[in-house]
């Protein structure tokens, strides 16, 4: 490793570490990050000694994985390797095992990007409000205590547990037959979707389920109209009831109606909010300030309480915890579930 390399502060964002590979995000950063996370978490958590590590399908992810786990194990902690996963599969592993973790992904960014989403202790993620500056200082200084013993790497299969957890939150028996076009954007959403939707009574028309770090068919951000034109046309052509589209790490979820119209995220917040209000016989729904009055009005009509709050997952989750909310949603396509560690999940939203 290049001990003299300077690491740019610009790749340390509000909620993740992200930049172009290999100029901004590279193996040197990944190795130092591994050592830094162990050092930081050892001071934050009692008896810390293991870290969950996952990765997405980007071409640079295997290289960053090798460097990251070398850093973690050189610093004396062990790794539970969950392999190729969506972000919500990663959150499941951290929540189920009650462990911190790092997932190698750049979400919806173009293929030349990569990065890291890090969990401290769910629902607390590494962010500008929680540990990001401290971890950057450790990475930048690149001075670490020597570990007494090198950590180990163990494979962890989370497939069945993830499927059971997601399906336990929804009344599966009430799902009616439907025809749905699903666009996985050549990301990890196709993997997660196939796991969860096994034997669900719906007719699925699959688009771009093959994980491919080159994103050969369209860009990864469904909020950009050009990236969803094809599924909007396909829903109409197939005479489908609706369409679902995920971003590449599948933490965000978007819906097309049967006329091929894109449905904004505040309306999905309203629909899902109504579901969880009914399921819980009342409750609060937290939504972000960009939303229309549809959330306020319809959640109220359904017998729930709507709480408008600041944009950003850390703010929405904190308000959900404070108020005991049954659901939270953002216009950006992030939807948060108390029974899923207050984390966002595209596939749970779809189900």
């Amino acid at each position: 490793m290049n001990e003299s390399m300077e690491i740019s502060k610009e790749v340390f964002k509000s909620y993740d570490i992200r930049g172009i590979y290999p100029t901004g995000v590279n193996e040197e950063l990944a190795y130092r990050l591994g050592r830094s996370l162990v050092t930081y978490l050892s001071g934050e958590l009692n008896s810390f000694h293991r870290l969950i590590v996952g990765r997405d399908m980007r071409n640079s992810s295997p290289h960053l994985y090798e460097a990251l786990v070398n850093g973690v194990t050189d610093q004396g902690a062990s790794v539970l390797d969950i392999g190729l996963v969506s972000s919500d599969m990663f959150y499941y592993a951290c929540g189920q095992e009650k462990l911190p973790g790092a997932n190698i992904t750049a979400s919806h960014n173009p293929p030349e990007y990569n990065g890291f989403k890090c969990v401290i202790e769910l629902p607390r993620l590494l962010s500008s409000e929680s540990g990001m500056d401290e971890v950057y200082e450790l990475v930048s200084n690149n001075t670490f205590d020597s570990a007494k013993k090198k950590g180990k790497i163990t494979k962890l299969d989370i497939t069945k547990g993830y499927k059971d957890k997601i399906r336990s939150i929804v009344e599966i028996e009430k799902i009616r037959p439907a025809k749905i076009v699903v666009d996985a954007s050549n990301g990890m959403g196709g993997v997660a979707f196939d796991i969860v939707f096994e034997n669900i009574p719906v007719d699925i028309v699959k688009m771009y389920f093959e994980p491919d770090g080159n994103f050969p068919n369209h860009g990864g951000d469904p909020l950009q109209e050009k990236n969803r034109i094809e599924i909007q046309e396909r829903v109409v052509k197939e005479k489908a009831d609706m369409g679902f589209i995920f971003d590449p790490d599948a933490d965000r979820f978007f819906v097309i109606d049967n006329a091929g119209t894109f449905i904004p995220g505040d309306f999905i917040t309203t629909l899902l909010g109504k579901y969880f209000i009914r399921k819980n016989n009342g409750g609060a729904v937290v939504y972000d300030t960009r939303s229309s009055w549809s959330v306020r009005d319809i959640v109220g009509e359904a017998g729930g309480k709507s709480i408008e709050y600041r944009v950003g997952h850390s703010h929405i989750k904190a308000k959900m915890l404070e108020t005991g909310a049954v659901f939270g949603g953002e216009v950006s396509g992030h939807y948060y579930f108390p029974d899923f560690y207050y984390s966002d999940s595209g596939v749970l939203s779809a189900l």
Side-chain angles (χ1 to χ4, degrees), residues 195-241:
I195 292 170
V196 170
F197 273 73
E198 184 180 16
N199 297 323
I200 298 292
V202 289
D203 178 12
I204 303 298
V205 179
K206 295 182 179 181
M207 293 177 60
Y208 312 134
F209 265 50
E210 306 79 15
D212 189 332
N214 296 310
F215 299 170
N217 295 292
H218 60 72
D221 187 0
L223 282 178
Q224 294 188 27
E225 185 176 359
K226 63 182 180 180
N227 295 329
R228 59 179 193 256
I229 287 174
E230 189 173 356
I231 187 175
Q232 290 178 264
E233 295 175 345
R234 187 76 178 271
V235 167
V236 175
K237 179 181 178 182
E238 296 282 349
K239 296 182 172 58
D241 296 288

Side-chain angles (χ1 to χ4, degrees), residues 43-315:
E44 287 289 304
L45 306 174
N46 293 326
S47 66
F48 165 74
H49 61 279
R50 290 188 299 169
L51 191 77
I52 300 283
V53 177
R55 61 192 184 277
D56 71 9
M57 69 297 143
R58 290 172 184 267
N59 297 334
S60 57
S61 290
H63 308 295
L64 295 176
Y65 165 82
E66 291 294 336
L68 178 72
V69 298
N70 282 337
V72 171
T73 55
D74 281 354
Q75 201 57 31
S78 291
V79 167
L80 289 179
D81 176 12
I82 57 174
L84 282 165
V85 292
S86 60
S87 281
D88 67 323
M89 292 173 71
F90 165 68
Y91 295 143
Y92 163 76
C94 293
Q96 178 65 24
E97 299 296 324
K98 295 182 172 60
L99 290 174
N103 192 36
I104 300 164
T105 180
S107 187
H108 61 274
N109 285 272
E112 63 269 23
Y113 281 76
N114 214 331
F116 309 88
K117 288 184 178 181
C118 302
V119 164
I120 299 173
E121 190 174 26
L122 285 176
R124 182 182 168 203
L125 272 61
L126 188 71
S127 69
S128 58
E129 298 156 341
S130 186
M132 190 70 81
D133 289 340
E134 291 87 340
V135 169
Y136 170 72
E137 288 300 321
L138 289 165
V139 168
S140 183
N141 292 336
N142 195 28
T143 303
F144 304 100
D145 295 333
S146 297
K148 295 179 181 178
K149 185 178 179 181
K150 187 178 175 71
K152 298 180 179 180
I153 302 171
T154 305
K155 300 284 187 182
L156 177 65
D157 184 358
I158 63 169
T159 305
K160 184 181 186 303
Y162 166 73
K163 174 183 177 180
D164 291 345
K165 178 65 175 178
I166 293 285
R167 291 172 67 136
S168 73
I169 299 170
V170 178
E171 297 158 297
I172 299 292
E173 69 280 0
K174 293 188 177 180
I175 293 178
R176 293 173 295 179
K179 185 176 185 180
I180 307 171
V181 179
V182 181
D183 184 349
S185 302
N186 291 115
M188 298 310 303
V191 174
F193 189 92
D194 280 343
I195 292 170
V196 170
F197 273 73
E198 184 180 16
N199 297 323
I200 298 292
V202 289
D203 178 12
I204 303 298
V205 179
K206 295 182 179 181
M207 293 177 60
Y208 312 134
F209 265 50
E210 306 79 15
D212 189 332
N214 296 310
F215 299 170
N217 295 292
H218 60 72
D221 187 0
L223 282 178
Q224 294 188 27
E225 185 176 359
K226 63 182 180 180
N227 295 329
R228 59 179 193 256
I229 287 174
E230 189 173 356
I231 187 175
Q232 290 178 264
E233 295 175 345
R234 187 76 178 271
V235 167
V236 175
K237 179 181 178 182
E238 296 282 349
K239 296 182 172 58
D241 296 288
M242 67 193 89
F244 296 159
I245 182 169
F246 303 103
D247 68 344
D249 71 323
D251 59 348
R252 292 193 297 156
F253 165 71
F254 304 88
V255 179
I256 312 299
D257 75 5
N258 63 349
T261 303
F262 175 75
I263 307 301
D266 48 351
F267 296 123
I268 303 304
T269 296
T270 299
L271 288 170
L272 295 177
K274 282 179 62 178
Y275 174 79
F276 285 102
I277 288 166
R278 180 188 60 75
K279 188 180 180 191
N280 291 278
N281 296 313
V285 172
V286 179
Y287 65 101
D288 77 88
T289 56
R290 298 167 296 187
S291 302
S292 67
W293 288 352
S294 66
V295 184
R296 180 198 68 183
D297 294 345
I298 297 176
V299 164
E301 290 171 6
K305 178 182 178 182
S306 59
I307 301 172
E308 183 179 346
Y309 207 58
R310 296 171 61 186
V311 173
H313 79 86
S314 61
H315 305 303

